[in-house]
Amino acid sequence: MTLHGADGAGADALLTVLELLARQAPPAHFDTLLDEARLAGPGGAELDRVERAVALAGEVNAGREQDARREAGLAALTDTARDLTLSYDLDSLLRVIIRRARRLLGLDLAYVTLRGPHGVCYVHSAEGSRTGQAGGPRIAPGLRIAEGYGLGGAVQSHGEAVWTADRLADERFASFDSLDAGVHAPAFDEVAEAALRAEELHAIMAAPLRSGDTVIGVLHGADRRVRHHTGEEIGLLTALADLAALAVEKAGLLERTRAEVSELERDSSRVRTSLTRMRHVSEAHGRIMNLVLAGGDLGSVAKAAADALDATVMIRDQGGRCLATAGDIPGLVEEAVAKASLDAHARRRPVLADDDTWVAPVIAGSEDLGGLVIRAAGGLTGEDERLLELAAQSVAFLLLMRRSTAVAEGPVRDELLDDLIADPPHAPQQIAQRARRLGVDLRKPHVLVLARPEGGEQGRAVVWASSYAYRLSGLKTVQGGCIVLLLPGIDASAAARAVADELSPLLGHPVSVAAAGPGQSPDGVARMHQEAGRCLDAMSALGGTGSAASVQDLGFLGLLLSDDNDVDGFVEAAIGPVLDYDAERFTDLTHTLEAYFASGGSPTNAAEALHVHPNTVSRRLERIGELLGPEWQKPGQVLEVQLALRLQRTREVLARGRATADPGRPSPGPPERSA
């Protein structure tokens, strides 16, 4: 890595940076190279370039490390779900989960507390605790904690995840007299507090283990430093807590089965029946989960669940739209399904919608991901209901995995769209290469959509936009309080309506949506973004907040707002049928229209100006109505018709003027119009 002389030293150093980067050398090698470059010459521009190259190499290495962490996290989550299908031993399952929690989230300590009798909780499993002094309290299995104490108490009271960046400095937990939202807690738990202080814990997050409506325990993740947890980290801990709850229920189910076997030893037939049902539930759940882990889609999961339940299965999203189905469900009463869906999500278990239709909630933590609609002609037994719950959890896990993939690529896709709409634009070749790596073909027609939520927080809208763009193989970013979507398609109006129809019900308040396009090249994206922004501003100025429209939907306003000023397209849309009729039949309906408007809308005065009978004008106006539609004289359309007539007449005058200026040129007819 030694540099020789001042001449060419900068080029040698840059080449060395690339070699180190290709070999994935440790950071110390880059530092050594930079020190040698500083000693090799007086500095200046060459040294600046070397320093910049080393800095960029550091960013590349940081990106590699981030990708590696993301892949390791997703692999850990997948391995945890697979382990749950292989074992019924509660101790082993919970140890796997807390070990994966530490690996997935980079925690110093993870532990699970379960509720015991007489209002006392206890630590069941823990990993990462310190040995401490002999006999001193520490976070370890067997530690008893008063119910309602600390973050765990808040989780048990609320039923939702709770977290703090530094519990020692957090006013909510400074005095333990009460917690957030007025939740009462014991004034102090001396043993538990001593254990927490002995562990020197600062940042803690806790997620509930739920069985139906009941919180049966809490999964804790803690650090011995101040740490601000992200929403993604809370979501992952909640998903792991759901898996832990499933492990507890699975172990409890085995215990109950053993008790039943003990009680029914004298009735072997009943024992065999119960074991057969349990085996069917376990094997069916294993098949469904293995499909998920093997990369199966929603359609294959729906079919596997339908085969196991001997029923028809439909998977819906949170807006009620069908994502996948196995068979048809004729005569579905949507009102009954919608009511049952609300009850199912409130109770967190399947609910009967009518005589033979069930609705099961698909939930991840406290987030509603959709539901399963089941039509079972023969009804469902208790084991079938349990299998239905497990199938819904498998669907939730699959949706979370798909979202994790979308979120993992999200920042890269956001940066690409940011660069596409940047001013000045970035290098087209580099943009095209980046798009191809992400599976986006910018040479195909695409439209740009701007969505502005009118009220509420933007977080849910941004999460939805990431998923929506991923589903449609598009791009998404956020700028100026607006969600920006670049989507495949040729109909900007339809794209705007589709975004509004899906996003507004999800947020529960209006969303203003504007769109422009289509375009077929990377360099046209910035122009479409500007047009859509002007369209959104025009909608607000016209009192159209909360509606959806494209530049084309605004008529002559769209003509003014558009960068390409498509006069031909506007004239064609407004009076094209009349112009075509005149050209084909050698009539003069266009002149009649001009005379009609010039006379203030009076057929009689128009007839005098044209030197024809008033009945002739009336018949011509009837023909115009047939060509332009019954509402052509309504204020909005009549304004566009008049503007189109003026533009057409102006184009004809300009065409004659060009012919006069060039006498050798044949006299032109009216300017050509686009078909």
Side-chain angles (χ1 to χ4, degrees):
M1 294 189 298
T2 304
L3 301 177
H4 302 286
D7 295 337
D12 291 342
L14 294 178
L15 181 59
T16 304
V17 169
L18 292 176
E19 292 174 348
L20 293 176
L21 191 60
R23 296 201 306 268
Q24 299 186 16
H29 288 194
F30 291 89
D31 295 337
T32 301
L33 174 64
L34 189 58
D35 292 337
E36 291 179 0
R38 288 169 177 163
L39 294 173
E46 292 293 336
L47 180 58
D48 291 342
R49 282 195 291 271
V50 174
E51 291 176 343
R52 178 59 177 162
V54 171
L56 291 174
E59 294 179 7
V60 172
N61 285 329
R64 286 175 174 169
E65 294 174 358
Q66 184 178 7
D67 291 342
R69 289 195 299 271
R70 186 180 296 116
E71 292 175 1
L74 187 57
L77 193 58
T78 302
D79 290 343
T80 303
R82 180 181 290 109
D83 290 339
L84 291 182
T85 67
L86 301 177
S87 174
Y88 280 92
D89 178 47
L90 180 59
D91 292 342
S92 299
L93 290 175
L94 291 183
R95 280 197 299 271
V96 166
I97 288 172
I98 61 175
R99 187 174 302 120
R100 296 283 165 71
R102 290 188 67 200
R103 172 185 170 187
L104 190 62
L105 298 170
L107 301 169
D108 292 329
L109 171 64
Y111 59 99
V112 172
T113 60
L114 299 179
R115 300 182 69 173
H118 312 299
V120 175
C121 299
Y122 65 96
V123 176
H124 183 280
S125 303
E127 183 174 287
S129 58
R130 290 177 172 173
T131 303
Q133 299 178 353
R138 63 191 184 96
I139 304 298
L143 177 67
R144 298 166 64 87
I145 303 173
E147 188 171 22
Y149 167 78
L151 272 75
V155 170
Q156 291 172 1
S157 299
H158 286 297
E160 303 291 345
V162 178
W163 61 93
T164 178
D166 186 359
R167 72 175 195 91
L168 298 177
D170 196 327
E171 296 181 356
R172 297 176 298 166
F173 309 103
S175 71
F176 299 102
D177 290 329
S178 61
L179 295 175
D180 188 31
V183 178
H184 180 70
F188 201 68
D189 187 322
E190 183 176 353
V191 176
E193 179 64 18
L196 290 175
R197 292 186 178 275
E199 297 285 355
E200 297 182 346
L201 298 180
H202 288 269
I204 303 178
M205 50 181 171
L209 279 62
R210 279 186 287 248
S211 176
D213 297 330
T214 305
V215 177
I216 60 175
V218 180
L219 173 62
H220 297 76
D223 283 278
R224 296 184 176 93
R225 57 187 174 87
V226 176
R227 173 178 175 180
H228 295 276
H229 303 103
T230 66
E232 183 178 354
E233 291 172 339
I234 300 301
L236 289 173
L237 187 74
T238 301
L240 285 170
D242 288 340
L243 293 176
L246 178 59
V248 174
E249 289 187 351
K250 205 171 185 182
L253 188 61
L254 180 61
E255 290 298 323
R256 290 194 296 271
T257 302
R258 288 172 177 169
E260 289 178 5
V261 171
S262 177
E263 293 175 1
L264 301 175
E265 282 181 345
R266 283 176 268 181
D267 190 346
S268 60
S269 176
R270 292 179 60 190
V271 171
R272 284 196 300 271
T273 300
S274 178
L275 289 175
T276 300
R277 290 175 178 174
M278 285 297 307
R279 189 179 302 111
H280 171 70
V281 171
S282 178
E283 291 175 353
H285 177 231
R287 286 194 300 272
I288 295 173
M289 184 58 76
N290 285 333
L291 269 176
V292 173
L293 299 177
D297 57 15
L298 289 173
S300 60
V301 172
K303 186 178 185 307
D307 293 341
L309 293 167
D310 191 20
T312 302
V313 176
M314 178 186 296
I315 302 176
R316 293 186 168 189
D317 65 10
Q318 62 268 43
R321 286 168 289 275
C322 179
L323 299 178
T325 183
D328 297 326
I329 306 181
L332 194 63
V333 182
E334 291 294 344
E335 293 182 0
V337 171
K339 183 179 182 301
S341 180
L342 292 175
D343 293 341
H345 283 87
R347 301 178 187 179
R348 306 182 72 84
R349 60 181 178 81
V351 170
L352 189 63
D354 56 33
D355 293 339
D356 56 1
T357 304
W358 291 75
V359 178
V362 177
I363 301 173
S366 60
E367 183 178 0
D368 171 18
L369 298 178
L372 301 184
V373 181
I374 311 296
R375 172 70 59 81
L380 297 180
T381 65
E383 288 77 12
D384 291 336
E385 290 185 38
R386 181 57 186 151
L387 179 56
L388 179 54
E389 291 182 357
L390 295 174
Q393 290 180 353
S394 300
V395 171
F397 184 68
L398 176 57
L399 293 175
L400 277 177
M401 289 180 65
R402 289 172 55 176
R403 178 185 295 178
S404 296
T405 303
V407 169
E409 287 186 350
V412 179
R413 303 176 77 90
D414 289 0
E415 291 172 3
L416 175 59
L417 185 50
D418 286 334
D419 291 344
L420 281 168
I421 62 181
D423 186 16
H426 289 246
Q429 292 183 346
Q430 296 179 2
I431 290 289
Q433 291 175 357
R434 291 165 57 191
R436 282 195 294 271
R437 285 197 296 268
L438 294 173
V440 178
D441 189 353
L442 295 174
R443 296 170 299 178
K444 294 183 178 180
H446 46 263
V447 297
L448 189 136
V449 180
L450 282 181
R452 182 180 64 205
E454 304 295 349
E457 296 183 359
Q458 198 181 53
R460 289 188 73 187
V462 173
V463 172
W464 169 88
S466 298
S467 175
Y468 188 78
Y470 183 76
R471 294 199 319 260
L472 272 63
S473 300
L475 300 174
K476 156 257 159 190
T477 189
V478 179
Q479 287 195 0
C482 293
I483 294 170
V484 186
L485 296 168
L486 186 66
L487 305 173
I490 59 174
D491 192 337
S493 300
R497 289 192 299 270
V499 169
D501 290 345
E502 185 166 334
L503 183 54
S504 292
L506 175 66
L507 300 181
H509 54 73
V511 178
S512 298
V513 184
Q520 286 184 275
S521 63
D523 53 5
V525 176
R527 176 185 59 80
M528 289 192 297
H529 179 255
Q530 294 172 356
E531 289 185 8
R534 291 196 288 266
C535 180
L536 192 63
D537 292 340
M539 290 165 55
S540 300
L542 295 173
T545 300
S547 59
S550 70
V551 173
Q552 291 81 0
D553 294 329
L554 298 185
F556 73 91
L557 284 178
L559 178 68
L560 299 177
L561 296 173
S562 175
D563 282 335
D564 55 13
N565 301 120
D566 185 12
V567 175
D568 287 346
F570 175 74
V571 172
E572 178 69 26
I575 60 172
V578 174
L579 297 175
D580 291 338
Y581 190 90
D582 283 346
E584 293 170 0
R585 292 171 175 79
F586 301 101
T587 56
D588 200 11
L589 296 182
T590 306
H591 192 197
T592 301
L593 262 179
E594 292 176 328
Y596 175 68
F597 287 129
S599 64
S602 170
T604 302
N605 294 338
E608 292 179 0
L610 295 170
H611 305 293
V612 297
H613 195 276
N615 290 341
T616 301
V617 174
S618 297
R619 285 194 299 272
R620 292 179 181 177
L621 292 177
E622 290 177 1
R623 176 65 64 185
I624 291 170
E626 295 173 358
L627 295 171
L628 298 183
E631 297 186 353
W632 74 276
Q633 295 194 70
K634 293 293 181 66
Q637 189 171 350
V638 77
L639 178 60
E640 295 190 0
V641 170
Q642 292 184 67
L643 180 58
L645 286 170
R646 293 286 184 90
L647 289 172
Q648 178 68 6
R649 183 62 63 195
T650 301
R651 292 196 305 171
E652 293 175 356
V653 171
L654 292 175
R656 286 195 296 271
R658 287 194 297 270
T660 303
D662 186 2
R665 188 176 184 179
S667 178
E672 293 186 1
R673 298 180 297 105
S674 58

